Amino acid sequence: MPVEVAKVEIKNVRDASGVADVIAAGQFGADEVVAVIGKTEGNGGVNDFTRILADQAFRAVLADNGSRSMDDIERIPMVWSGGCDGLITPHATVFAQTTGDGAGSGESRLVIGTAMSDTIAPEDIGRPAMVDTVAEGVRRAMADAGITDRADVHYVQTKTPLLTVETIADARDRGHTVFTEDTLESMGVSNGTTGLGIAVALGEIDMPAAEAICRDFDLYSAVASCSSGVELDRAQIVLFGNRAGAGGRFRIGHSVMDDALDIDGIYDGIRNAGLQLPERPRAADLGGRLVNCFIKCEADRRATLRGRRQIMLDDSDVHHHRHSKAAVGAVAATAIGDPAVFVSVDAMHQGPHGGGPVIAIVELGD
């Protein structure tokens, strides 16, 4: 079943007209949509309600334009990353599995697999038990995508639980401690632990020691993009890779940004997806064939960038997440010529320290 991909703008916090327009134009049907990954304009924090509003709007469009039950629609993975700091445009990338026959082509093309992990207890967040649970879920998603070679996996997008006042109290009542009692910090801890689980599943690292989790930043996955929220108690996993004979027009690739200024890392990810680019590319060289880039970033904890002092970690007025997201968003928008680019923070164990993974989806033709 070939995969179709469309990037649509979100014009207000309740808007899903873009996906409705794509469905009306016949690119894919509402019943063929299998995943959505988007940026919303809220604060990106624990209480960012714009993610919920976008989720409701997109699911309502699928219900209004298709025949699936609401129970089925509610099970479609939709990963919303809050915060469009700087010049990032709110948008969503919509993925559909169409009814076309992809068996006739031997070319390697985009495939998708999804899975839900086993339950993640609050006391497991930030600890080896969560690494194991996520790794097993990633293996299920690989099998769902029909991918047997881990090198063919280029992007693993997850949503996992974070800690809340209620879940911390629940763990304490059952005689357990938690990694942190700071709910905002727990977002990064959940993301980082998930990144290690992805890295273990794909053979990028060995199983880390407990003391290395969220501390040893030399351990990371180059294809992980992890998000967390209060709305679930397990890992929701959407895995993307290439498989020969899958059919369709799209291919995926990845690289890493070594730091926040590494524009070459973005172009390397696009090249890895299959586009031929000159040695010193610019946005015009993409020829309209790039669908989107998905990038993780965060402030370098050493407070330096290419030998220069950085102050974002000491800014008491603006959180360093917002600094780094805005900065990397500007670099990415310059690289691709489009401010509708997916840039997400909390990149612990996702890409090198101070940098992050870059995933690119391109259209190559049938």
Side-chain angles (χ1 to χ4, degrees), residues 91-130:
H91 70 282
T93 306
V94 184
F95 300 87
Q97 287 184 320
T98 65
T99 55
D101 180 12
S105 172
E107 296 293 329
S108 184
R109 290 293 186 263
L110 177 66
V111 290
I112 300 174
T114 63
M116 292 291 285
S117 78
D118 293 339
T119 301
I120 298 170
E123 61 268 21
D124 292 341
I125 295 173
R127 290 170 174 158
M130 182 174 178

